Amino acid sequence: MTPLLWDFQLILQGRILINMISKLLENIKLKNSRLSTKLIITYILLTVIPMGLLGVLAYYEYTKSIEEKVGEYIPKLLKQANNNIENSLSELERLPELIYSSSDVMSVLRDSNYKNQSKLHQDQFIVESFLTNTYLDNSSEILGAFLLSKNRSFVSTRIPYEGFNLENLSLPYGEEHDLGEKVTLILPKQASLKFDGDPPYILLMKQVTDFDNRKSLGTLFLAVKLSFIKDVLADLEEEKNATMWVMNEDGQVIYHTNASKIGSVFSEIKSYPLLNGSFQTGSGKEKTLISVNKSTRHKWIIVHSIPLKYLTMGTDMVRNVTVLAFFILVIISSLISVFLAWTVTKPIKKLGNLMQDVKEGNLSVSIPIDSKDEVGVLAQSFDSMLTEIRELIRKNYSIEIRQKNAELYALQSQINPHFMYNTLQTINMAVEDGESETVIEMVTLLGRMLRYSLSNKERLVPISQEVDHIQDYLKIQKFRFEERLTYKVQTELDSGSYYTPKFILQPLVENSIKYGLEKRKGLTINIDVKEILNTSGKKDILFTVSDNGPGINQEKLEELNCKLKSDPMGKRDSGFGILNVHARVMMMFGNQYELKVTSSIENGTGITIQIPAISKNDVSSYFTIQGDGDGK
C-alpha cells in the first residue's frame, strides 16, 4: 500500500470517529441535561476521546513507519543478496575453464579412437580423476561433474544419482552443437538428473572447445547445490515467518525456503506492480509486505514475503498494553471526574433547593454553604440578596401601610365636615336671600366635587380633572368669602394628555385660605401648571400654588421642612395638609420628586410640586414598574 493510501485511510478513520462524536452530541441534549452530566460529558469530549484518538493515530503512524522502514530496508538487502548471488555464479561459471589446464584430459578428448577396452578405461580414469580432484574435492557445493564427448561419458559424483542421459536433457550438447564460450544454466526440474536425497541444484553447462582447430570436444556439466543461494539469504531468513524465493523472469522458482516449491512456476509475478521495491497485497489480517529485487545480469528475482502482522507484532503488544493502561486511566479519571462533578453539583443542588423554598415563599431559609469557591460566592450573594429582599419587603410593607394611610387622610380631607358645613350654611343663606341662581350653581359645584371625591377607583387622573376640581372648590369658597378671595388658575400645557395623583392641589389651597384669611382682609391665590425638563433631560410637570398671605415665620418654616425631609407620614395631631401630599408624591414617584415650600412675610407663601410627565399610555405600566401595592 502506498503512503498516499495510508494517509487516505487515516483521514477516513478520523472522519468516521468525528462523525460518531457528532452523532453522540446530537443524541445528547446537553441544554436540558444536569450539570454533573455536562461535566462528565465535557470530560469525555476533552480528555477520553482526544486521548483515544491520539493513541489510535500514534499506533497507526508507528505501524506505518515500521512498514515503510522495512519496505525500504529489505529491498536494499535483497539487492546486496542479488549481487552476492551474481558473484557466486560468476565464480561457478569460471570453474569449467579449469578443464583446459589439464593437457592429459584435453588429449583424451581429442582422441576418440580406441583399439582396445583397456585404453578406454585408462582414459576414463584420467578424466574422472581430474573431475574428482578439480571439482568435487575443491568445492563442497558441486554434487557431480559430467563430461560428454564423442559418445563417451565421464562422470564423477559426490553421491549416487540417476537419470542423466542425452534424451532427458532439455538443451542440446556435444560437438555438433556450437555453444560458444557461454556458460548455460539449466534450472531445477529442467533435467531428469536426480541425486539421492533429492537435493536442489542447478546445472552449469559449458562447451569444451579445441582452440587449435576450433572444434568442439564435448560438453561439461557441473551440478551445483543451491546452498550458495541459501548461504547468501541466510541473514534474511532469520525471520521465521518470512518466505523467500529466487525465480527467473518467467516465474520459474530456482530456490525457495520451501524446498517442495523449487522448480515450480510462480505465475503471480505478472501481477507484481514493480520488480524493485516493496508493495502490499491482501487486506485486513491477510496483508502481506512483499519486497523484490531483480539482478542485472541473469535477471533473477529475489522475493521476500512476510505478513504485516508479524512486522507489527511488537507494536501490537505495545498497543495492547497501551489500551489496557488507557482503560485503567479512563476508569480512574472517570471516577475522579464523577467525584469532582458531585462535589461541584452537590452545593449547587442544595442552593437550588433553597431557591425553590424561597420561590414558594419561605424567605427565612438558612444557607449552610461556607466554601470560598464560586459556589460559595454565589451562596453568599444569594444570602445577601435574601437579606435585602426581606428588608425591602419590610420597607415596602411599611410604605404600603403609609400609602393606605395617606389615601385615608386624603379621603377624610375630601369629605371634610367643616367644609361641608360651611358650604351648606352658605347655600342656606343664599336660599333665604332668594338667590336661586347662586343656590343652583353652588349645588352643582358641590355635586361635581362630591362625585370627583367619591370616584376613588384611579390613583392617577388627567391634570384637567384635577384643575377642574380645584376651580370648583375655589368657586364655592368665592361664594362664601366674596371679595375677600380672588384667584387665578393657569395651565401652560395640554392638561388632558398628562396625569397626576388626585387631590394634590385642594389641601394646599385649603391651607392658603385657612391661614391667609385669618390675618388679612383680602387673599389672592395663583395656581400655575406647566411642563419643564428635569436634570436628566426628561419631561416633568410642575404645580405651583402661591398666595399673598402673611407667610410663615422662619421657625415654623424650618420645622415644616424638617418634617418633609424626615418622616412625612409619621404620627401627627393635625389632619392631611402639606405633609400628606408630600408623602404621597414621594411614595408614588420616588425621592427625586417632592414638595417644596418657600415663604416670607413680604411675598407670602409658595408651594411647588414636581412630578414626572405621565401620558395615558404610561399610566398602567408606570405603577407596575414602581411596585404599586394593588397594581391599579
Side-chain angles (χ1 to χ4, degrees), residues 72 127 202 242 268 277 307 309 324 350 390 479 580:
E72 294 175 359
V127 175
I202 59 173
E268 287 84 353
K309 61 182 179 180
L324 179 61
K350 185 183 296 183
R390 287 193 291 265
F479 282 115
N580 185 272

Side-chain angles (χ1 to χ4, degrees), residues 30-263:
L30 289 178
K31 183 177 180 181
N32 300 323
S33 300
R34 300 172 61 183
L35 179 59
S36 58
T37 303
K38 292 180 181 179
L39 291 175
I40 294 175
I41 292 176
T42 302
Y43 161 77
I44 293 175
L45 294 178
L46 297 181
T47 306
V48 176
I49 293 179
M51 286 174 57
L53 181 60
L54 181 62
V56 171
L57 292 177
Y59 170 75
Y60 277 109
E61 286 295 332
Y62 185 48
T63 303
K64 174 184 173 183
S65 176
I66 290 178
E67 294 171 359
E68 289 179 349
K69 293 297 182 184
V70 172
E72 294 175 359
Y73 177 68
I74 291 182
K76 294 179 181 179
L77 295 180
L78 295 181
K79 182 178 181 180
Q80 182 63 41
N82 243 334
N83 292 334
N84 293 338
I85 292 176
E86 290 281 347
N87 294 334
S88 298
L89 285 174
S90 297
E91 293 178 0
L92 292 174
E93 289 174 351
R94 286 194 292 270
L95 291 178
E97 302 292 335
L98 297 177
I99 197 170
Y100 295 107
S101 63
S102 174
S103 58
D104 294 338
V105 172
M106 294 300 294
S107 297
V108 171
L109 295 178
R110 289 189 183 100
D111 187 10
S112 60
N113 297 319
Y114 296 101
K115 297 179 180 179
N116 52 49
Q117 192 69 20
S118 62
K119 178 63 176 174
L120 176 62
H121 291 312
Q122 183 179 359
D123 290 345
Q124 284 184 335
F125 175 78
I126 293 172
V127 175
E128 290 178 353
S129 297
F130 173 80
L131 294 178
T132 301
N133 296 330
T134 302
Y135 296 113
L136 271 63
D137 292 345
N138 293 329
S139 177
S140 61
E141 295 177 349
I142 298 179
L143 295 174
F146 304 87
L147 180 59
L148 303 179
S149 174
K150 299 176 182 179
N151 296 323
R152 296 172 297 175
S153 63
F154 306 96
V155 179
S156 176
T157 62
R158 194 179 303 278
I159 54 178
Y161 71 96
E162 63 180 9
F164 187 81
N165 53 59
L166 299 180
E167 291 78 7
N168 291 332
L169 290 176
S170 59
L171 293 176
Y173 61 92
E175 64 276 16
E176 296 179 356
H177 186 79
D178 187 10
L179 297 177
E181 296 301 318
K182 183 176 68 173
V183 176
T184 302
L185 298 179
I186 301 177
L187 302 180
K189 308 299 183 183
Q190 285 186 337
S192 60
L193 175 64
K194 290 185 179 180
F195 294 91
D196 283 357
D198 199 18
Y201 68 92
I202 59 173
L203 279 177
L204 300 179
M205 181 176 70
K206 182 174 175 57
Q207 179 177 287
V208 181
T209 304
D210 186 357
F211 293 104
D212 293 336
N213 53 28
R214 307 300 296 175
K215 290 184 179 181
S216 174
L217 299 179
T219 304
L220 175 64
F221 296 88
L222 296 178
V224 181
K225 290 193 300 183
L226 296 180
S227 58
F228 74 95
I229 299 179
K230 183 178 181 180
D231 294 340
V232 170
L233 302 181
D235 293 336
L236 294 175
E237 291 181 357
E238 290 182 356
E239 175 58 58
K240 297 180 180 179
N241 299 299
T243 302
M244 295 187 63
W245 65 92
V246 180
M247 58 185 175
N248 62 7
E249 290 180 299
D250 298 327
Q252 184 173 358
V253 178
I254 300 170
Y255 171 80
H256 200 288
T257 51
N258 183 357
S260 63
K261 293 185 178 182
I262 295 177

Side-chain angles (χ1 to χ4, degrees), residues 73 84 205 222 248 285 364 398 400 404 434 603 605:
Y73 177 68
N84 293 338
M205 181 176 70
L222 296 178
N248 62 7
K285 294 183 178 180
S364 60
S398 176
E400 185 67 21
K404 296 300 182 182
N603 300 321
T605 302

Side-chain angles (χ1 to χ4, degrees), residues 347-387:
I348 294 178
K349 184 177 181 181
K350 185 183 296 183
L351 187 59
N353 293 333
L354 294 175
M355 289 181 177
Q356 185 66 28
D357 292 340
V358 172
K359 177 182 177 182
E360 294 174 358
N362 182 13
L363 299 178
S364 60
V365 296
S366 175
I367 301 178
I369 300 175
D370 55 357
S371 60
K372 302 300 181 182
D373 56 7
E374 287 79 0
V375 178
V377 173
L378 179 61
Q380 293 175 5
S381 300
F382 181 65
D383 188 49
S384 301
M385 182 187 71
L386 282 181
T387 302

Side-chain angles (χ1 to χ4, degrees), residues 24 29 50 57 89 115 181 274 304 352 480 484 534 587:
L24 176 64
K29 297 181 179 179
L57 292 177
L89 285 174
K115 297 179 180 179
E181 296 301 318
L274 48 84
H304 181 279
R480 178 183 174 192
R484 295 177 59 194
N534 59 23
M587 285 187 288

